[in-house]
Amino acid sequence: HDAQLISFHSTSKGIIGECGQRGGYMEFVGFSNKVMAQFTKMAATSLSSGTLSQIFVGLMVTPPAEGEPSYELFQEETGEIFAGLKRRALRLTEALNRVPGIECQAIEGA
């Protein structure tokens, strides 16, 4: 791929929504090893989350699997979160499309 992508996800703004928990991760796609070495060096000098934040990141990246006791509830709660995000995104798109000179494409996801 020629495309480069940097994706961020945090425990305080994601599905877990635990405000104050300063854990998260970044994913880099399409960058050379040389560039990645610079990102790694920069991150190593300024990132150090506490144990609780690291636990939250672990929970965030390993949700309950099908058959586990909390799976059904997790699916229900995350479904409600994503439905709410999509509703707000659609309302924003509709409002922006009413502004003269602004045209937005339809939202495909939350």
Side-chain angles (χ1 to χ4, degrees), residues 76-90:
E76 180 183 331
E77 289 177 349
T78 55
E80 290 173 10
I81 291 168
F82 285 130
L85 290 170
K86 187 161 189 166
R87 278 192 306 273
R88 289 191 293 275
L90 289 170

Side-chain angles (χ1 to χ4, degrees), residues 21-64:
Q21 295 304 321
R22 300 295 179 230
Y25 67 89
M26 296 173 20
E27 180 180 10
F28 295 81
V29 175
F31 290 88
S32 70
N33 289 339
K34 188 176 179 179
V35 171
M36 288 306 302
Q38 292 302 312
F39 276 120
T40 301
K41 186 184 339 178
M42 182 180 68
T45 63
S46 62
L47 298 178
S48 180
S49 61
T51 303
L52 187 57
S53 294
Q54 292 178 32
I55 291 170
F56 275 104
V57 171
L59 293 170
M60 178 177 68
V61 300
T62 52

Side-chain angles (χ1 to χ4, degrees), residues 1-19:
H1 286 41
D2 292 333
Q4 293 178 322
L5 172 71
I6 300 175
S7 179
F8 299 90
H9 196 79
S10 84
T11 56
S12 62
K13 302 296 182 206
I15 294 172
I16 294 177
E18 290 296 332
C19 297

